[in-house]
Amino acid sequence: MTDTNTNPLQLAEQRLLEPAGLQESHLGDALGNMLSGGVDTAELYFQVARHESWSLEDGIVKEGTHSIERGVGVRAVAGEKTGFAYSDEIVVPALMSASKAAGAIARLGQQGQVQAWSRAGEQRLYPALDPIMSLADEDKVALLQQVDKATRAHDSRVQQVMASITGVQEIVLVCSSDGVYAADVRPLVRMNVAVIVEDGGRREQAYTGAGGRFAYEHFLSGDRALALGREAVRQALVSLEAVPAPAGEMVVVLGPGWPGVLLHEAIGHGLEGDFNRKGTSAFAGRIGEQVATDLCTVVDDGTLQGRRGSLNMDDEGTPSQCTTLIEKGRLVGYMQDSMNARLMGVPATGNGRRQSFAHVPMPRMTNTYMLPGPHDPDEIIASVERGIYACNFAGGQVDITSGKFVFSASEAYLIDKGKLGAPIRDATLVGDGPSVLQKVSMVGNDLELDEGVGVCGKDGQSVPVGVGQPTLRIDSLTVGGTGNA
Amino acid sequence: MSDMARRDLSALKATASSALEVARKLGATQAEVSTSRGAGLSVTARMRDVETLEYHRDQGMSVTVYFGQQKGSASTSDLDAAAVEESVAKACALARYAAKDPFAGLAAPERLAAGVPDLDLYHPWDVEPAQAIELALACEAAGLDFDPRINNSEGATVSTHEGVRVYGNSHGFLAGYPSSQHSLSCAVLASADGPMERDFEYSVARHADDLLAPELIGAEAARRATRRLGARKLDTATVPVLYPARLARSLFGHLIGAISGGNLYRKASFLTDAMDKKIFADTISIIEQPHIPRALSSAPFDDEGVATVDRTLIEDGHLRGYVLGSYYARKLGLESTANAGGIHNLVVSNTGEDFDQLLVDLDRGLLVTELMGQGVNTLTGDYSRGAAGFWVEQGEIQFPVSEITVAGNLSDMYQQIRAVGTDVDRRGGIRTGSVLVDGMTVAGN
């Protein structure tokens, strides 16, 4: 097991550079290859990622899998242009040829210069441990079996249990002609439980999951792992009673925590720097405008301890930070990587992220959430004459240009005269990003963050993220059911 | 085959063989290995200038070992002998902790492909970056110049990829083949008085000669974006919905999920126990044709080496075939349908109408042009997705609509397919024309 006091930079050099005999002079030469004219920044991104997963079905752990990916991504940025190449061999010749290929983007011009490297300030939001080594393999198997047994014992209507755990350790080292020389060691674990229940011929399923940047031990403390199974059974049993969802515009109350996927889709993507620099976002050019009611303050915060979306530094070596996006309803900031920050003349915000060495970085969210407001959650539900209360979601999508977004409710209830009624079947909610927060009339005092399962996709790249919010009342949103409104 | 592809093929076969040999020496009773190598180039032009130039190179090996009925897997992006050996050893170590699963193991030896038919899948495109940039610039320019309301762009992208895949197992199977795929795409923004709208068009093919002309792609992206301007919401109603070919394939994608082994075994499908039952309108037949030359999902064998063959999934509305790899086939007491890893060209029959006729037949309802979100529950068949499109009256497009949902249940929707058009979209693994579905709930105001 890696010592949790390990210095990330030393470990990264040891794992990424030393096996190939790469010295500082090689890195300088590779960056120099790209600086032949017009190039603002040249960058090398070394990465090794180890991933494992264990999965259980039919009461048995059927398989363990392990994968390792290693490589270097090489990028040259000249104004709005990007040249990019990568190699899955970390060796000197491959590094040199990739850097020449990436550098081909540059126009003829002045010779650039590599600045002296200095280490970025270090945040320690998670230990530099290897989750895969944090628990013996037999104990991982035993944990899954325990979850299976407890989940089945919970209710006789449980027909099937599928459970899995995954662990990742990612070691990255970034060095650039801007003087960045920084490393990060990122653990990430996750546990998922899915159940199928049957009652009187009707079948339903539900999924739960949790995780973050820590060791597997997290799931061993208290009854966290068993609670996931219990929660999956509860959700599936609720679905057995569900009636068709209504169709049409109505008041929607969103529960705390994971329903924050609303903010991620409706607001978050539209506030990423690249879309705003290019003017392709519905939020472009709207800094300073009132885009939400004054109850709404929304932040993107990469600095939360141990959270799935947290990062000590982003994939360009910029320390992550807490960026206020909307303050009391007013749009105050975008999320930036270094290229878009430079082009827009604003500071980078530590949001430059990439799926791996084989992908180019771009502005991405970390943990995006709304701060708590003044209202009691019960008071919010009691205020609704007729509408729905949605507290679990299966994901969403946005068209950043038109601002239209969707998210799919997996657990929701009718509200009738201020009281929760029957659960409703899966329904997609659809709305308009720039106007939806202007319809938020009540904000709960019960901020929660999600359990640590978010995956965000953009341009074919996936990264782990977090979301959160307090209970919210939205005065009007379209609910896509099949029943009568 | 080019020299590079031939060299890669023999190198990948050697890697696979040595991995199988390591597994045998470590005591595995069965093993299977896949190896791949690929390379590509992608360039994007935006606002009449080059924006990105990316070189791609990928490689990998994945191995699964069986010790009797215990299974372990590992993969690596490093194909050096030492890394390969380490991966196989890791898979063997993991297998020790797996429970005995009586259904685990390789595909049946008699089902493995006897040869590798040439499906005409490999046509590398020797495009220089400068030439690719010219194509992307021309493509985007056709979009930007199409209409004064086109005033921004996400750019046009030219991309090319070629690669070689090999699969081998301890039954003695070892085969591979090269393939290529090229694409040209463009996305532009339109704006007038109201909100901006974006849309895109693309072309994808095994051979660069089969790509649509860049000018056509750019202009079509622009036409699609401009016609969305001024979109409004609709009142909630139950109406017929016309899915154009490029979206209609998703309806059959949901079918594949529902008749796949894992979901059938878990009874997590609304089509559990539906074999030989009538699940579609009786005008619908669907076949799988894995050997169509140059097609995007053609393959001589599946991910377990099982020979692919033409077969029927839906006959006159009746379910005649599942989608199975060998593992869930054994669990269901059936045989593999050569679908480990997915489907290989699904071809949906048509009812003879062209798109214009379908619009007339729609008469009054929704022509959907964009679907958003996941919104499909394979267990219950519940279907609810975000949408944009056009409101149609008397068979003619009236105005664009957005911020609406279309909802129903797939078991009803499949029965309520009134027509499938002759306007087949070949840009994917599911080939269908436009589909007209009756009785869907469209939710808006």
Side-chain angles (χ1 to χ4, degrees), chain B residues 301-317:
Chain B
F301 50 83
D302 76 355
D303 286 1
E304 297 178 308
V306 175
T308 51
V309 288
D310 285 8
R311 67 192 191 96
T312 297
L313 278 79
I314 304 290
E315 179 188 26
D316 302 331

Side-chain angles (χ1 to χ4, degrees), chain A residues 57-58 61-68 81-82 84 86 162 203 249 278 397 425-426 428 478 480, chain B residues 49 51-53 55 57 73-75 77 99 152 233 265-267 327-328 331 373 377 379 382 384 405:
Chain A
E57 186 184 10
D58 293 333
V61 174
K62 289 179 173 176
E63 186 181 12
T65 68
H66 178 269
S67 70
I68 184 157
K81 298 180 167 61
T82 301
F84 179 66
Y86 61 87
M162 288 148 283
R203 292 171 74 85
E249 259 181 36
K278 297 177 185 179
Q397 192 183 335
R425 303 180 73 117
D426 297 354
T428 289
T478 297
Chain B
D49 197 0
E51 182 175 57
T52 62
L53 169 62
Y55 291 89
R57 239 203 61 189
S73 320
S75 69
S77 65
N152 201 345
K233 291 185 78 164
Y265 169 72
R266 289 188 282 268
K267 296 192 168 66
Y327 178 74
Y328 282 108
K331 293 201 71 137
N377 183 329
L379 195 158
D382 286 338
S384 170
T405 59

Side-chain angles (χ1 to χ4, degrees), chain B residues 156-308:
Chain B
T157 299
V158 173
S159 96
T160 171
H161 186 270
E162 62 173 294
V164 178
R165 304 184 66 82
V166 163
Y167 172 81
N169 67 29
S170 55
H171 287 326
F173 184 89
L174 182 64
Y177 56 95
S179 66
S180 56
Q181 186 165 311
H182 321 293
S183 69
L184 186 48
S185 63
C186 183
V188 292
L189 276 65
S191 65
D193 295 335
M196 299 185 290
E197 295 286 354
R198 167 199 178 277
D199 214 325
F200 69 100
E201 177 63 358
Y202 68 102
S203 180
V204 54
R206 297 287 192 183
H207 196 305
D209 289 352
D210 298 335
L211 291 174
L212 274 184
E215 293 77 12
L216 293 179
I217 294 164
E220 176 61 11
R223 191 186 70 85
R224 292 178 62 92
T226 47
R227 68 178 187 164
R228 294 174 70 142
L229 287 169
R232 49 180 123 148
K233 291 185 78 164
L234 281 175
D235 286 338
T236 300
T238 300
V239 291
V241 173
L242 178 57
Y243 288 78
R246 83 182 202 164
L247 297 183
R249 73 164 74 98
S250 67
L251 295 173
F252 303 103
H254 305 319
L255 168 72
I256 298 310
I259 58 172
S260 290
N263 284 331
L264 291 172
Y265 169 72
R266 289 188 282 268
K267 296 192 168 66
S269 164
F270 69 97
L271 293 177
T272 301
D273 297 327
M275 185 54 90
D276 292 322
K277 292 190 180 143
K278 185 170 168 302
I279 60 168
F280 271 93
D282 51 18
T283 48
I284 306 294
S285 292
I286 303 177
I287 54 174
E288 187 183 16
Q289 290 189 304
H291 296 175
I292 301 172
R294 289 195 189 182
L296 293 171
S297 292
S298 289
F301 50 83
D302 76 355
D303 286 1
E304 297 178 308
V306 175
T308 51

Side-chain angles (χ1 to χ4, degrees), chain B residues 136 138 157 165 322 413 415 425:
Chain B
T157 299
R165 304 184 66 82
Y322 288 146
M413 289 162 62
Q415 299 280 4
D425 188 330

Side-chain angles (χ1 to χ4, degrees), chain B residues 63-119:
Chain B
V63 56
T64 300
V65 298
Y66 302 88
F67 286 74
Q69 296 166 338
Q70 289 171 291
K71 177 183 180 186
S73 320
S75 69
T76 173
S77 65
D78 185 345
L79 298 188
D80 277 359
V84 167
E85 194 167 333
E86 198 184 326
S87 267
V88 178
K90 184 72 198 176
C92 293
L94 292 178
R96 289 177 41 217
Y97 297 101
K100 289 198 168 92
D101 181 350
F103 302 98
L106 302 177
E110 66 276 10
R111 297 289 308 280
L112 300 178
V116 183
D118 181 3
L119 304 179

Side-chain angles (χ1 to χ4, degrees), chain A residues 121-308:
Chain A
E122 194 181 312
Q123 297 190 39
R124 295 301 287 270
L125 303 174
Y126 35 83
L129 58 78
D130 182 356
I132 296 174
M133 305 296 285
S134 69
L135 191 65
D137 288 343
E138 47 263 63
D139 294 336
K140 297 169 192 167
V141 170
L143 175 63
L144 288 173
Q145 284 166 339
Q146 213 185 332
V147 168
D148 176 67
K149 215 170 146 194
T151 305
R152 286 175 187 275
H154 197 64
D155 195 290
S156 60
R157 289 167 287 182
V158 174
Q159 300 291 309
Q160 180 62 273
V161 175
M162 288 148 283
S164 65
I165 51 171
T166 59
V168 185
Q169 188 196 37
E170 188 183 74
I171 303 175
V172 304
L173 188 152
V174 195
C175 73
S176 81
S177 61
D178 293 342
V180 172
Y181 188 84
D184 198 9
V185 178
R186 300 167 178 165
L188 189 64
V189 297
R190 175 169 175 161
M191 179 169 214
N192 288 329
V193 183
V195 301
I196 296 175
V197 297
E198 182 173 341
D199 192 11
R202 182 164 169 182
R203 292 171 74 85
E204 293 286 349
Q205 61 190 334
Y207 308 87
T208 55
R213 298 198 181 278
F214 32 69
Y216 285 129
E217 282 136 26
H218 175 83
F219 298 117
L220 302 177
S221 77
D223 70 343
R224 279 189 175 120
L226 305 189
L228 281 177
R230 212 159 46 228
E231 172 62 12
V233 173
R234 185 195 66 75
Q235 288 185 26
L237 294 178
V238 166
S239 292
L240 283 176
E241 310 295 324
V243 300
E249 259 181 36
M250 61 199 73
V251 179
V252 174
V253 176
L254 298 176
W258 180 238
V261 69
L262 163 84
L263 302 170
H264 179 99
E265 301 297 349
I267 305 294
H269 279 295
L271 299 181
E272 290 167 341
D274 47 354
F275 299 132
N276 289 283
R277 170 177 65 80
K278 297 177 185 179
T280 58
S281 164
F283 287 98
R286 299 186 64 178
I287 290 277
E289 285 183 27
Q290 198 77 20
V291 295
T293 59
D294 59 11
L295 294 165
C296 300
T297 294
V298 180
V299 300
D300 182 80
D301 188 354
T303 69
L304 301 172
Q305 195 75 34
R307 285 278 158 186
R308 183 173 164 85

